[in-house]
Amino acid sequence: MNKPLLEIKGLRKWYGAVEVLKGVDCTMAQGEVISIIGSSGSGKTTMLRCINMLEEFQDGQILLDGEAIGYEEHPSGRRRKSEKEVARQRALTGMAFQQFNLFPHMSAAQNVMLGLVKVKKMGRDEARTLAEQWLGRVGLAARADHYPGQLSGGQQQRVAIARAIAMNPKLMLFDEVTSALDPELVGEVLQVIKGLAAEGMSMLLVTHEMRFAYEVSSRVIFMNKGVIGEEGDPKEMFVRPRTERLAEFLKTSSFQ
Amino acid sequence: MDPNFLNDLALFANEIWIARYALLKGLGVTLSISALAILAGSVLGIGVALGLVYGPRVLRAVIRVYVDIVRGTPVLVLVLASYYIFSTVGLDLGPFQAGVLALAVFCSSHIGEIVRGALQAIPPGQAEAAKAIGLTFGQTFSSVLWPQALRQILPTWVNTAAEMVKASTLLSVIGVAELLLRTQEIISRNFLSLQFYFLAGFLYFLINFGIERLGKYVERKTAVPS
Amino acid sequence: MGYTLNFSAVWRSFDLLLGGLLLSLELAAAALAIGAVIGLAVAFALAGGPTPLRRAAGAYVTLIRNLPILVLILFTYFALPQLGVRIDKIQSFVLTLAIYSGAYLAEVFRAGLLSVPRGVKEAGLAIGLTPMQIRTSLILPLMLRNVLPSLSSTLISLFKDTSLAAAIAVPELTFEARKINVESFRVIEVWMVTSALYVATCAVLAALMRALERRLAIPK
């Protein structure tokens, strides 16, 4: 059997006394596109953010390509890896955020170049060429020297995706990337993601777009109260939910 | 404990005891300067603000120049200028009055800007509503605009008082026997500069920290319930 | 009152005043350079340092804000030699003004740090930047743009505070003005010109800061 790309074992996280992830287990193969759905507060975004250590977690293990993320076991117990090591591991994944989080003082091209230059230690010219290439791929070649404040929400999100992809990550994480967009701008962003999926990019998407999850994902994970409530093929799950919770969730969501 | 240190401490305590009246008098003068400066400065400053907000164009321009000059000039220069100029033109004010006047002028430019900001922050609808129910401008100002502005001003006003306490030290330069000058006189007798500057700093800190606390209290109290 | 304005004595000594102004500017620049480093370090401690460091930074700011700067200047100049520290009066003054302005700059910078959106920092983390790279490439440039207006007024205050060096006989503008005042008796003229020099310099500083603000403005 192929080694999985991502392996999550017994992931648990508390915010103070509140347990938000109560033991999540899941594996993901190379090239899979998995949508994570669930109501707000179900822990889906938190789980995603644990994978690149934007959230600390207290128990369990996340293995990316066999490498333990964020923590290492010591005879004396579990220890957080050094800031430098965590930074290196974060660069193995790419992330796109709900609020885009572009660097406002940098042009679109500079946004893409920053990680290439500072993390990948690429020369500026090479980084610029690559940045232009990726901006072209998301349809923004003409906007390379525009600043985030000069771009629409949909364009900003596409720059943000280019910024993440340009780092050549093993896995892309999308955190509700269309939730902050005006409805007419959602399509252009989803189109970019679909294109990436078609090229075999491994992706984890937290999303509210049920139609999109249905069309693009090879598998869907339904999160409910800090655990995985149900998972499977969307063609199967969305039509015949096995649990009452999912049936209810699908009824209240916009699918069909 | 180091016996030398205890010795020094006893010596310091003894010197404080010898200088107690000088220190207390200096403290009294410091507080008088500050109180007079903030009072006169506030009256003047409210006038400045009223002129800036409601005055005719010419008056506004004149006051604007006054405020800009005062704000662009170091307080020490105001103090020295006031001290030397008044005696030159034959108005013998004496260092205390000349100094207080300079601080009041300095204070007025601060207060003027604060009050102006507060008055201009009141939505114009307030004055219109008051006019609509038939209030005169005087009535509108005293019962609608001023109470709203005052809430905004009070915390900053208290902090301005602390600024005045700090600025009062500048009067030592023109020979007003406030706390800092008294301290310098004491040091010239006993040469304990480290100890006595420390003591002066401690006293100023206490006064200002107290005022700062008062400012925070006033801020809580004046917050409009919502 | 019979006083007629006569500026000739002041013009004859104008070089002295200009020399004083130049020294004032140098004092301010030196104090700003050191004070900005102190302020920045303290601001980072205040905005997210470990608790003991945050407390110490907070104590420093509270202490300095409640002390008259003249007391600090005299303390450094007259009391430090008692501890065996020997520095000349210009060094002593610059050091004091730097420590003093550091506390005010710390508050300015802290407000600036808090104004940088958290998402920017997270995006930096997500592409693999180290915390130090995030500080230098993202937080500092954004924070600096946000604080420029309040930095401008702190800078002007700092420049005006250089007048206090006159109290320890540093020959800056106020000291020279007082000297000319005593020697020439053209009292009103001296202080008018001195005040005008200060006001004009403040106006120039403010204009320069506004120009910098425009230059660094992010295109929208």
Side-chain angles (χ1 to χ4, degrees):
Chain A
M1 194 185 132
N2 260 347
K3 192 177 69 168
L5 172 68
L6 178 73
E7 226 176 326
I8 299 177
K9 297 188 225 169
L11 179 65
R12 302 178 77 180
K13 170 169 180 73
W14 284 265
Y15 283 119
V18 185
E19 190 175 13
V20 285
L21 295 176
K22 306 174 183 172
V24 174
D25 295 273
C26 109
T27 56
M28 173 180 187
Q30 178 73 44
E32 262 197 293
V33 176
I34 301 183
S35 292
I36 308 171
I37 59 171
S39 50
S40 56
S42 61
K44 52 191 194 310
T45 288
T46 307
M47 173 184 151
L48 199 74
R49 289 165 58 90
C50 283
I51 296 171
N52 65 357
M53 285 294 282
L54 285 183
E55 300 284 351
E56 318 249 306
F57 51 93
Q58 284 79 31
D59 199 11
Q61 232 190 354
I62 298 176
L63 299 172
L64 182 68
D65 229 359
E67 188 179 322
I69 295 291
Y71 301 90
E72 53 199 350
E73 294 302 329
H74 272 265
S76 56
R78 179 171 177 272
R79 213 183 283 170
R80 194 181 192 276
K81 293 185 174 177
S82 75
E83 233 16 274
K84 232 180 144 172
E85 178 61 9
V86 171
R88 185 193 65 78
Q89 292 191 322
R90 282 194 183 112
L92 300 175
T93 57
M95 186 168 204
F97 300 84
Q98 183 176 353
Q99 300 295 340
F100 334 133
N101 296 348
L102 287 184
F103 309 133
H105 59 309
M106 297 180 179
S107 68
Q110 287 169 333
N111 262 275
V112 181
M113 286 164 66
L114 185 69
L116 300 173
V117 172
K118 298 272 173 184
V119 181
K120 300 241 164 189
K121 309 292 177 201
M122 206 177 267
R124 293 200 70 83
D125 293 340
E126 195 186 347
R128 171 84 200 189
T129 311
L130 197 61
E132 280 171 3
Q133 228 169 357
W134 277 108
L135 287 172
R137 289 284 302 278
V138 299
L140 291 171
R143 299 291 155 102
D145 293 317
H146 284 52
Y147 283 78
Q150 302 170 307
L151 300 172
S152 74
Q155 292 170 331
Q156 288 190 52
Q157 191 60 287
R158 284 187 279 155
V159 174
I161 292 171
R163 173 176 72 182
I165 297 280
M167 296 292 288
N168 193 21
K170 295 181 177 184
L171 167 66
M172 267 301 295
L173 309 169
F174 293 89
D175 185 11
E176 301 191 21
V177 287
T178 56
S179 299
L181 293 177
D182 292 335
E184 71 272 19
L185 302 177
V186 169
E188 61 187 69
V189 172
L190 294 183
Q191 210 50 50
V192 166
I193 299 175
K194 265 187 194 163
L196 292 170
E199 287 165 31
M201 177 54 108
S202 311
M203 300 194 280
L204 261 178
L205 309 102
V206 168
T207 184
H208 289 301
E209 300 281 336
M210 292 305 144
R211 156 80 41 197
F212 180 73
Y214 181 86
E215 285 171 8
V216 82
S217 11
S218 52
R219 189 146 52 104
V220 167
I221 289 176
F222 170 60
M223 290 285 289
N224 184 40
K225 294 180 179 162
V227 293
I228 293 178
E230 199 174 325
E231 64 173 298
D233 185 336
K235 312 269 180 316
E236 182 67 30
M237 258 173 87
F238 281 16
V239 184
R240 276 182 294 278
R242 293 189 299 273
T243 61
E244 198 135 321
R245 293 269 178 219
L246 177 58
E248 223 158 273
F249 174 76
L250 289 173
K251 231 183 280 168
T252 58
S253 72
S254 54
F255 185 63
Q256 281 157 358
Chain B
M1 200 167 278
D2 186 358
N4 274 334
F5 176 73
L6 286 180
N7 239 344
D8 287 353
L9 208 61
L11 177 73
F12 182 34
N14 187 45
E15 289 295 333
I16 294 178
W17 182 249
I18 293 170
R20 64 192 183 281
Y21 289 122
L23 286 170
L24 281 178
K25 271 190 219 156
L27 200 60
V29 174
T30 287
L31 293 177
S32 318
I33 296 168
S34 314
L36 288 171
I38 186 91
L39 284 179
S42 299
V43 173
L44 211 54
I46 291 170
V48 162
L50 290 179
L52 281 175
V53 179
Y54 304 113
R57 235 169 123 98
V58 180
L59 184 64
R60 278 209 307 266
V62 171
I63 295 179
R64 185 38 58 209
V65 170
Y66 162 81
V67 170
D68 285 351
I69 289 179
V70 173
R71 285 173 71 96
T73 305
V75 194
L76 181 57
V77 171
L78 293 178
V79 170
L80 290 172
S82 167
Y83 174 62
Y84 289 119
I85 287 177
F86 279 111
S87 55
T88 306
V89 298
L91 257 170
D92 214 355
L93 282 186
F96 182 86
Q97 275 120 320
V100 167
L101 184 69
L103 293 193
V105 164
F106 166 62
C107 183
S108 74
S109 72
H110 260 259
I111 302 271
E113 288 287 357
I114 296 165
V115 175
R116 181 190 60 81
L119 285 176
Q120 286 178 341
I122 300 171
Q126 294 288 313
E128 284 162 17
K131 215 183 278 175
I133 58 170
L135 298 185
T136 65
F137 177 75
Q139 290 168 327
T140 305
F141 184 78
S142 61
S143 53
V144 178
L145 303 179
W146 182 243
Q148 294 190 44
L150 196 59
R151 270 176 202 280
Q152 282 226 351
I153 296 160
L154 266 181
T156 335
W157 186 77
V158 174
N159 289 331
T160 309
E163 290 302 316
M164 288 305 118
V165 174
K166 287 191 258 177
S168 72
T169 55
L170 301 180
L171 272 55
S172 68
V173 176
I174 54 169
V176 177
E178 42 66 78
L179 182 56
L180 185 55
L181 188 64
R182 292 286 188 185
T183 302
Q184 288 170 297
E185 287 168 3
I186 294 163
I187 290 170
S188 69
R189 276 202 311 272
N190 62 23
F191 302 107
L192 296 176
S193 49
L194 185 68
Q195 292 84 334
F196 275 88
Y197 278 127
F198 186 85
L199 178 67
F202 178 71
L203 291 173
Y204 281 112
F205 179 83
L206 278 190
I207 299 169
N208 284 331
F209 191 69
I211 295 175
E212 191 187 82
R213 275 293 142 101
L214 180 69
K216 295 235 164 82
Y217 175 78
V218 169
E219 201 166 344
R220 277 200 306 278
K221 282 285 161 188
T222 52
V224 181
S226 58
Chain C
M1 282 191 288
Y3 191 100
T4 33
L5 290 178
N6 178 355
F7 285 93
S8 58
V10 177
W11 296 143
R12 271 198 302 281
S13 315
F14 198 59
D15 282 352
L16 275 182
L17 290 179
L18 280 187
L21 177 60
L22 194 64
L23 182 56
S24 296
L25 285 169
E26 285 168 359
L27 294 173
L32 177 70
I34 306 170
V37 174
I38 298 175
L40 212 51
V42 172
F44 273 113
L46 284 173
T51 311
L53 207 58
R54 207 170 55 229
R55 292 240 173 89
Y60 159 71
V61 172
T62 307
L63 180 70
I64 296 293
R65 287 186 63 101
N66 286 310
L67 285 179
I69 180 171
L70 187 53
V71 173
L72 285 170
I73 291 166
L74 297 175
F75 181 85
T76 320
Y77 185 57
F78 290 110
L80 280 193
Q82 205 176 321
L83 291 173
V85 184
R86 289 246 154 259
I87 43 176
D88 71 29
K89 54 192 174 190
I90 288 189
Q91 291 168 337
S92 157
F93 179 77
V94 167
L95 180 70
T96 311
L97 190 56
I99 292 173
Y100 181 76
S101 59
Y104 289 85
L105 289 168
E107 297 222 307
V108 170
F109 289 147
R110 186 181 68 112
L113 288 179
L114 295 179
S115 73
V116 175
R118 212 176 55 140
V120 166
K121 192 180 155 198
E122 287 193 346
L125 288 173
I127 57 171
L129 296 179
T130 62
M132 198 36 103
Q133 287 173 325
I134 288 174
R135 266 180 222 129
T136 54
S137 299
L138 304 179
I139 296 181
L140 275 183
L142 284 172
M143 176 268 256
L144 222 60
R145 287 178 170 83
N146 288 334
V147 301
L148 276 180
S150 40
L151 195 60
S152 170
S153 58
T154 310
L155 180 63
I156 286 168
S157 296
L158 188 141
F159 167 66
K160 288 193 291 174
D161 285 339
T162 59
S163 64
L164 294 165
I168 54 172
V170 173
E172 46 63 74
L173 181 51
T174 303
F175 181 83
E176 298 290 12
R178 199 179 180 190
K179 205 165 81 184
I180 296 167
N181 169 48
V182 172
E183 286 167 2
S184 73
F185 297 107
R186 303 315 306 181
V187 177
I188 299 179
E189 294 84 340
V190 171
W191 295 110
M192 276 174 76
V193 171
T194 304
S195 174
L197 285 174
Y198 274 113
V199 171
T201 310
C202 288
V204 169
L205 288 176
L208 285 176
M209 290 300 281
R210 273 197 304 275
L212 186 65
E213 228 175 290
R214 273 197 304 277
R215 221 193 127 78
L216 292 180
I218 300 164
K220 274 198 205 323

